[in-house]
Amino acid sequence: MEKRRQKILEKLRSEGLYPVKQLSSLLELGEPILDIAILASPNTRGLSDFLRMLQDSPLIPDFTYYPISIEGASAAKELVSALGKANNRAHQLIVIVRGGGAQGGLLYLDDESLARAVASSKLPVIVGIGHSEDKTLLDYVASMSFETPTAVGREISQINRDYIHSLSELEEKLDSVFSELLSSFVSNIQSRSRILSAYSIERMIKFDHQKLLSFVRRLNRIDFLTDNMKEALNRSRKNLISNSANIMNEKTKWFWLNLKEFRRHENELSSRIKNFEERITPEIIDLERFLMEKSRDFKKLTGYFSSNAKSFYRWQRERLQRYIAEIRSINPIYALVKGGAIVMDEEGKAIVSIEDVKIGDEVLIRLSDGSLRSEILEKITTKKKNLVKE
């Protein structure tokens, strides 16, 4: 058997189908598991163990059940057919499960056509055949292989649980980062407000200070010229004694004229500073009031956004729980447990109307503890409470 298995694997390798890309964990899918195709024999322990473990998942996935025979001469053919149907639908992955059974039942899984179908599947194929010691050809060509169906269900439940936990951590980090950004924004506004309120006054004072320095330089120049004139008078007082009185009067008059001009500019400067202060003070007060109002509005908007985000998250979680409860209520598997039955035609399609069958057709009635094969003898249509026989 091992030589035959290796021969099949070498043939698949030559065709580029082997080795397949295997997954070390379902986390590599990058998303929660929400849609599964289940390939298993009906009413078996392996199927019930797998479904029981799925119930522990906080996000119970949708699943489509493809009933097949996992043992017997037709097992490989039915598996290949079910794999083809599953690949034509938008599932996330395909799960093949089988409970414990006879060792000889594993021989039907070492089939070349079955291995080729699994290796070329567009969807990841997960295998849990219920034997920890023995391997089949499926364990080599599947994306992941588990010892039991219970282990497969536990892995899917854990992946979905980790995804919900990561969403909670992301919400906490988002709230923390948003609070830090808000604090930084408020601090930046306050800092720019202080700079704005001081910038214009400082610039005006600097400009007027430069004008004062200019007048001081002019006065110093007058003093310097006066000293020079005194020295000149001392040197030539003998020759200029008759003109000294006129010269001094002219210089004194010139000095007082410049002194009056300086005082006039000084008064003008003081008046401009006072007017500027009177104009800028209300503007500063209005600006501070405006910034305070905008800061309060921003805090309200932040609180409103945070509250709505949490409410939206709670609403989505409640909605998801309602969907889960609704899916459970319409699950055909649960209908079987509660005493119902599933009627299917020869191709395994569910019959929902009497128009789907004809008299003489054979149908399969699946119950919780087995199946019944029946023949349609007559069809009775219910219309307006009147019974009409065909």
Side-chain angles (χ1 to χ4, degrees):
M1 286 300 299
E2 183 61 25
K3 290 181 179 180
R4 180 175 178 272
R5 185 182 299 160
Q6 292 300 324
K7 183 178 179 180
I8 294 174
L9 291 177
E10 287 297 328
K11 187 174 182 180
L12 294 178
R13 181 181 283 110
S14 65
E15 297 175 7
L17 298 177
Y18 182 83
V20 299
K21 181 181 179 182
Q22 295 189 330
L23 302 175
S24 59
S25 170
L26 293 180
L27 287 173
E28 295 181 24
L29 298 179
E31 56 185 356
I33 309 303
L34 300 178
D35 194 307
I36 306 173
I38 303 176
L39 280 61
S41 296
N43 304 320
T44 58
R45 181 66 179 273
L47 177 61
S48 61
D49 290 344
F50 174 74
L51 294 176
R52 187 177 65 253
M53 293 307 300
L54 282 186
Q55 293 178 356
D56 295 334
S57 172
L59 293 174
I60 296 182
D62 295 333
F63 61 85
T64 302
Y65 175 54
Y66 296 86
I68 58 170
S69 175
I70 207 71
E71 295 184 3
S74 64
K77 183 178 180 180
E78 293 184 23
L79 276 169
V80 171
S81 177
L83 283 168
K85 294 177 181 179
N87 271 277
N88 290 329
R89 301 187 61 178
H91 301 298
Q92 283 179 281
L93 52 87
I94 300 173
V95 175
I96 302 175
V97 294
R98 171 188 181 273
Q103 294 292 107
L106 299 177
L107 299 177
Y108 300 103
L109 302 179
D110 283 327
D111 183 83
E112 180 179 345
S113 61
L114 176 58
R116 189 185 307 278
V118 173
S120 59
S121 173
K122 296 182 295 184
L123 302 175
V125 178
I126 312 301
V127 175
I129 62 172
H131 282 272
S132 58
E133 298 178 357
D134 299 323
K135 283 189 175 183
T136 68
L137 196 56
L138 294 182
D139 294 306
Y140 291 90
V141 296
S143 299
M144 292 187 71
S145 176
F146 293 85
E147 294 181 354
T148 62
T150 301
V152 180
R154 185 184 298 113
E155 175 72 9
I156 294 174
S157 298
Q158 186 62 40
I159 291 299
N160 288 348
R161 189 176 295 108
D162 293 343
Y163 182 79
I164 292 296
H165 181 68
S166 65
L167 286 180
S168 300
E169 291 182 346
L170 180 61
E171 180 187 11
E172 293 177 0
K173 290 181 181 179
L174 179 62
D175 187 55
S176 175
V177 171
F178 187 80
S179 299
E180 292 178 1
L181 288 176
L182 177 61
S183 300
S184 176
F185 181 76
V186 172
S187 176
N188 192 19
I189 289 180
Q190 292 175 349
S191 175
R192 290 182 180 274
S193 175
R194 289 192 296 269
I195 294 173
L196 180 63
S197 61
Y199 177 73
S200 298
I201 297 176
E202 182 180 354
R203 184 177 59 178
M204 184 62 68
I205 292 175
K206 184 176 180 180
F207 174 75
D208 291 332
H209 180 67
Q210 290 176 351
K211 291 187 67 175
L212 285 175
L213 290 178
S214 176
F215 284 117
V216 169
R217 286 194 295 269
R218 291 179 65 183
L219 287 176
N220 290 335
R221 183 181 178 187
I222 292 173
D223 291 337
F224 176 77
L225 292 175
T226 302
D227 292 337
N228 289 340
M229 291 299 297
K230 288 180 179 179
E231 291 176 1
L233 288 172
N234 289 331
R235 288 193 302 266
S236 59
R237 63 179 179 273
K238 293 181 180 180
N239 298 326
L240 300 175
I241 189 141
S242 59
N243 298 324
S244 60
N246 294 331
I247 294 173
M248 287 301 298
N249 288 335
E250 291 179 359
K251 293 300 179 181
T252 302
K253 184 177 180 180
W254 180 82
F255 174 79
W256 283 107
L257 286 174
N258 282 277
L259 182 61
K260 289 179 180 180
E261 183 180 358
F262 170 75
R263 288 177 177 176
R264 181 173 61 82
H265 283 288
E266 183 180 17
N267 294 333
E268 181 181 352
L269 177 61
S270 299
S271 176
R272 290 183 61 184
I273 293 175
K274 184 177 180 180
N275 292 336
F276 179 76
E277 290 177 349
E278 291 176 354
R279 290 196 308 269
I280 198 63
T281 300
E283 298 294 334
I284 294 174
I285 295 174
D286 291 341
L287 178 60
E288 292 177 350
R289 187 183 300 111
F290 172 77
L291 292 176
M292 290 178 64
E293 291 177 355
K294 292 303 180 183
S295 178
R296 287 195 296 269
D297 293 342
F298 188 77
K299 289 180 179 179
K300 291 180 180 179
L301 182 61
T302 302
Y304 174 76
F305 174 78
S306 178
S307 176
N308 282 356
K310 292 180 179 179
S311 298
F312 178 77
Y313 176 75
R314 288 195 298 270
W315 176 75
Q316 288 290 355
R317 185 161 51 189
E318 292 173 358
R319 184 182 179 188
L320 178 61
Q321 291 175 353
R322 289 197 301 270
Y323 285 162
I324 292 171
E326 183 178 352
I327 289 172
R328 285 182 175 176
S329 67
I330 65 176
N331 190 335
I333 301 302
Y334 290 101
L336 293 177
V337 175
K338 293 180 179 179
I342 299 176
V343 182
M344 296 181 291
D345 59 14
E346 295 178 351
E347 296 180 356
K349 297 181 179 179
I351 299 173
V352 298
S353 171
I354 65 173
E355 300 298 332
D356 296 339
V357 296
K358 298 179 295 184
I359 294 176
D361 288 351
E362 288 189 357
V363 296
L364 183 66
I365 302 175
R366 295 193 180 275
L367 304 174
S368 61
D369 58 349
S371 302
L372 301 175
R373 187 173 296 278
S374 303
E375 180 181 355
I376 303 300
L377 300 179
E378 63 177 348
K379 298 195 295 182
I380 301 176
T381 304
T382 303
K383 295 183 179 179
K384 299 182 180 180
K385 299 183 179 180
N386 294 326
L387 299 180
V388 180
K389 295 185 177 180
E390 291 186 3

